Amino acid sequence: MNYRHGYHAGNFADVVKHLALVAILLHLRKKDTAFTVVDSHAGRGIYDLSGQQACKTAEAKNGIGQLAELSGDMPQALASYLSLVREIGRGQYPGSPLVIAKLLRARDRLIAIEKHPEEFAILQQTLGPFRQAVAECGDGYARTLKLVPPTSRRGLVLIDPPFESQDEFSVLARTVREAARKFATGIYLVWYAMKSQAEADAFCGEVLAGGLAKAMTIETAISAAPGKLARAGLLIVNPPYGFAAVFHDIGALIAPLLQASIKCTWLIGEE
Ligand SMILES: C[S@@+](CC[C@H](N)C(=O)[O-])C[C@H]1O[C@@H](n2cnc3c(N)ncnc32)[C@H](O)[C@@H]1O
């Protein structure tokens, strides 16, 4: 458990992941009925971009740093994400549980799980003001399988592991398959590191073999120094109707700013 997200908060991969997260949450808010979000690998919820960890890598500079001044006409999810980041304050960046908590209505719920005790302690403080959110210290994979299906029967599972262990891809694939079997109508947003396209394709293939009806990927690539993360993927199971079109428009706006290529691909069930 050496991974600390503080070194990577606000980088290109965080920006794309959090934009997808906001787009899905805005969709869930369109209906009056309550929804539940499970954030299996939550982190601490807020990051100091002027702190020692962020300054050491300066990854946020080529991520949120490139978008901070963006204005004018833009898709609602991008506008909501930027206003949320600006509201947090200069030099701070929201992690996924804070992004989610800020977009919940009184009837919605968030369960955010974090295994590392120090990160968990800060997560608890971050979520303290939000009555609809609860932080748990534990294993996000095991808890996810216990928490689905939620009683609301509508919702999102975000799985964003650190990719520290050798078997992360296989545990991740097993968990997504099993969760999607138990909660087939749930939306799943799954982040994966991309050391090679073949490994990423094998992972998506393994999840798909569980028998999904609708799934797509968003894969982002930047040019990065050797040894640094240059490619990251998102697997979205049951993307909401219209999500792909929204993300296509967001990608067209942000890709040049991030100096990235952002590729959306339907794996199954194209709209
Ligand atoms: C990539 S970071 C999460 C970032 C966060 N989702 C965000 O977008 O702001 C992964 C986190 O998972 C935590 N972690 C590692 N193994 C875990 C496990 N088995 N269950 C829950 N959390 C775990 C790490 O301590 C780290 O904080």
Side-chain angles (χ1 to χ4, degrees):
M1 293 259 297
N2 291 321
Y3 181 91
R4 288 293 178 284
H5 195 63
Y7 291 103
H8 311 291
N11 70 4
F12 77 97
D14 244 16
V15 166
V16 174
K17 171 183 66 192
H18 293 153
L19 278 165
L21 178 61
V22 170
I24 293 169
L25 291 166
L26 292 185
H27 170 86
L28 285 167
R29 284 165 54 112
K30 282 185 190 161
K31 272 197 192 160
D32 276 348
T33 43
F35 62 85
T36 302
V37 184
V38 176
D39 186 351
S40 68
H41 293 67
R44 59 173 55 195
I46 190 151
Y47 299 91
D48 177 7
L49 296 184
S50 60
Q52 177 258 329
Q53 293 184 347
C55 287
K56 185 159 182 200
T57 58
E59 287 186 18
K61 193 166 156 269
N62 296 324
I64 189 60
Q66 301 300 317
L67 265 56
E69 307 304 328
L70 194 63
S71 61
D73 269 358
M74 62 182 86
Q76 200 200 337
L78 179 53
S80 298
Y81 164 74
L82 289 175
S83 81
L84 210 145
V85 173
R86 286 171 188 149
E87 189 190 306
I88 303 288
R90 236 183 158 70
Q92 303 271 90
Y93 185 77
S96 54
L98 187 54
V99 169
I100 298 162
K102 284 199 165 278
L103 289 171
L104 296 180
R105 304 159 302 177
R107 54 196 170 283
D108 305 322
R109 293 286 171 268
L110 163 65
I111 302 111
I113 304 132
E114 169 57 47
K115 194 171 181 184
H116 195 286
E118 283 169 27
E119 298 293 300
F120 170 71
I122 299 169
L123 174 65
Q124 261 190 319
Q125 284 175 20
T126 309
L127 292 182
F130 300 93
R131 290 187 52 214
Q132 319 93 306
V134 52
E136 288 187 5
C137 192
D139 174 35
Y141 291 121
R143 285 299 294 146
T144 294
L145 294 179
K146 292 269 184 226
L147 290 164
V148 295
T151 43
S152 62
R153 299 274 161 175
R154 289 184 75 220
L156 164 70
V157 178
L158 167 63
I159 310 185
D160 182 19
F163 281 86
E164 269 186 319
S165 57
Q166 294 288 336
D167 65 348
E168 195 94 69
F169 265 122
S170 57
V171 178
L172 182 58
R174 258 203 321 275
T175 306
V176 180
R177 275 173 69 149
E178 180 59 11
R181 191 189 61 74
K182 291 181 71 186
F183 179 30
T185 55
I187 301 168
Y188 297 83
L189 176 61
V190 182
W191 189 90
Y192 52 91
M194 290 184 72
K195 286 197 189 128
S196 82
Q197 187 69 52
E199 194 179 38
D201 290 349
F203 160 69
C204 291
E206 208 181 319
V207 176
L208 243 63
L212 305 173
K214 212 173 155 192
M216 64 177 289
T217 56
I218 299 170
E219 293 186 340
T220 306
I222 58 163
S223 57
K228 294 269 189 184
L229 182 76
R231 298 182 69 198
L234 292 169
L235 169 65
I236 304 110
V237 176
N238 297 329
Y241 185 79
F243 171 86
V246 166
F247 216 87
H248 179 268
D249 293 349
I250 291 176
L253 266 172
I254 66 166
L257 299 172
L258 298 176
Q259 294 189 305
S261 87
I262 300 177
K263 194 169 143 219
C264 301
T265 309
W266 278 102
L267 303 179
I268 189 160
E270 189 165 349
E271 277 161 10

